[in-house]
Amino acid sequence: MTVADDALASAARWVQDSPVALATVVGTSGSAPRQAGAAMVVAADGRIAGSVSGGCVEAAVVDLAEATLTSGEPTLRTFGFAADDLFDVGLTCGGRIEVLVQRVGLDDGLGDVAARVAAGDAVAVVTVLEHPDPRRVGERLVVDGATLEAVPADAAPAGSGATGLRRALQDRAQAMLASGATGVVHCGPDGSPLASGVRAFVQTWTPPPRLVVLGAVDFARARAGAGRFLGYDVTVCDARPAFTTGDRFPDAHRVVVDWPHRYLDAEVAAGRIDARTVVCVLTHDARFDVPTLTRALRLPVAYVGAMGSRRTHRERLEQLRAAGLTGEELDRLHSPLGLDLGARTPEETAISILAEVVAVRRGGTGRGLGDTDGPIHGARSRVGHSGSVTTV
């Protein structure tokens, strides 16, 4: 469960007793300690869940939350590096975060959103941060992948473009749901994408991305555990029943006995493979590897990797070329898979592989941070899920 998910779940429980204050990171820059979407909830009795900064400005946000519970008015505040005043509230990391604090009551639909997130449904919450009409600030929409589920009644005066704005924000939220992106959108008060005046924050929750491990080898057990730790929905598949059992892979969400290429075909046909899916082929046996990789490398997935020595990789490339794969398709293959960490054990190898997956997904270099420049927590997400950052 992410920081945002923890805060959302706690808020949905606590709001049953009395309104709560929900603080959400809606913007970041530099080496910010949390991504946009991170949240903290403060109950009227002082209970706290979640985090917006990892500790740097939590006390100040709690003060804002208590004030918001009293006034009912949303508050938007930016926290940065307080270099001029050692006693001022700031981020020691040198980054900046923008935090929205809102009072949330029982009738605000928070429980429904939390229930959807817990069930693994795709849902987005759009919150207006800036609007020429101050009454519209804090207005929220709840959007799923197909329909506008809940909007406030026509809060804006007739002729204000409220309908066009709601439709525009809904469309943008649905587009961001498709990629799992969370971030800020801009448009005009009437919804025009070529105008300005309205800034809204879109927070998305999507089902966890899939990690498909093909090959029930010893390394797959550690790989499944590491993948689950990172929030992936993990499947282990192999055609050999003796090796492919739940007892051998307790961390996998499902263990499937089938030929890997046939399993991939069935999942594609069922619509369960998407642009966030990670496919790792661990068998290093041509009988499994070639038909499986022939299919995987032609799918619009996030990552395809195959285990094996450099010699195995060279031989496999020749077999894949013979099977008709193009140079562009073969360039998508990560093999030998993983980063050079000097890994030896299955657990170390799993970290090496997951590190490469994270680097590919987030646009990282794979180099030591001490050898790189720029923000440590860069907002460079390519494909995200719950809590990922993309500014639109």
Side-chain angles (χ1 to χ4, degrees):
M1 178 179 288
T2 68
V3 171
D5 295 347
D6 179 49
L8 178 65
S10 297
R13 294 194 305 271
W14 299 347
V15 79
Q16 302 298 319
D17 301 321
S18 61
V20 300
L22 184 63
T24 306
V25 176
V26 297
T28 67
S29 63
S31 297
R34 289 281 187 264
Q35 292 184 333
M40 180 171 71
V41 61
V42 179
D45 61 7
R47 286 175 293 173
I48 300 172
S51 171
V52 294
S53 73
C56 301
V57 301
E58 310 299 75
V61 174
V62 170
D63 290 342
L64 287 175
E66 291 173 345
T68 299
L69 280 173
T70 300
S71 69
E73 296 297 321
T75 302
L76 191 62
R77 181 169 174 186
T78 298
F79 296 92
F81 179 56
D84 298 331
D85 187 346
L86 294 178
F87 298 98
D88 192 14
V89 176
L91 300 177
T92 57
C93 60
R96 298 177 68 86
I97 62 172
E98 187 178 22
V99 180
L100 173 69
V101 185
Q102 292 179 285
R103 174 174 167 159
V104 178
L106 188 60
D107 297 330
D108 287 320
L110 193 66
D112 179 60
V113 174
R116 288 181 177 212
V117 173
D121 295 338
V123 61
V125 176
V126 186
T127 306
V128 176
L129 303 178
E130 296 177 3
H131 193 286
D133 182 351
R135 292 173 296 174
R136 303 294 301 275
V137 175
E139 190 172 301
R140 288 189 295 272
L141 313 176
V142 179
V143 181
D144 68 13
T147 59
L148 186 63
E149 289 297 319
V151 300
D154 288 332
S160 67
T163 301
L165 177 60
R166 287 198 298 270
R167 176 58 59 185
L169 293 178
Q170 176 192 356
D171 291 344
R172 298 292 285 276
Q174 288 173 338
M176 293 171 74
L177 270 174
S179 63
T182 283
V184 172
V185 299
H186 300 264
C187 62
D190 61 353
S192 171
L194 301 180
S196 61
V198 173
R199 185 166 67 106
F201 178 68
V202 182
Q203 183 165 8
T204 64
W205 286 269
T206 58
R210 294 194 62 187
L211 167 61
V212 182
V213 180
L214 302 173
V217 299
D218 289 341
F219 285 89
R221 176 174 179 139
R223 183 71 179 86
R228 185 166 191 148
F229 175 74
L230 286 185
Y232 283 90
D233 179 288
V234 182
T235 298
V236 175
C237 174
D238 197 302
R240 300 166 293 183
F243 294 98
T244 317
T245 67
D247 290 340
R248 292 194 72 216
F249 302 101
D251 290 320
H253 293 87
R254 64 194 62 79
V255 178
V256 178
V257 179
D258 200 350
W259 281 85
H261 69 276
R262 190 164 61 189
Y263 174 73
L264 271 185
D265 287 344
E267 293 301 284
V268 170
R272 291 190 287 264
I273 300 293
D274 62 23
R276 302 176 301 151
T277 300
V278 172
V279 178
C280 289
V281 179
L282 306 185
T283 52
H284 48 82
D285 181 330
R287 295 174 301 167
F288 296 94
D289 289 3
V290 174
T292 301
L293 289 171
T294 298
R295 286 159 173 77
L297 290 170
R298 288 171 171 164
L299 296 175
V301 296
Y303 176 99
V304 179
M307 179 174 279
S309 67
R310 298 188 189 283
R311 176 179 176 178
T312 297
H313 175 59
R314 289 193 297 269
E315 294 174 349
R316 187 163 46 207
L317 286 178
E318 290 303 317
Q319 293 167 327
L320 291 171
R321 289 189 187 97
L325 268 74
T326 66
E328 184 178 357
E329 290 167 339
L330 292 175
D331 286 343
R332 299 184 58 224
L333 177 61
H334 295 269
S335 179
L337 76 174
L339 297 183
D340 181 12
L341 304 182
R344 293 291 183 270
T345 67
E347 292 75 18
E348 291 173 346
T349 301
I351 291 174
S352 166
I353 296 169
L354 260 298
E356 182 177 57
V357 170
V358 171
V360 170
R361 178 180 159 209
R362 301 294 191 187
T365 65
R367 299 164 56 197
L369 288 174
D371 297 326
T372 61
D373 298 321
I376 293 176
H377 305 288
R380 296 176 293 182
S381 263
R382 294 181 180 179
V383 180
H385 51 109
S386 175
S388 64
V389 183
T390 300
T391 300
V392 179

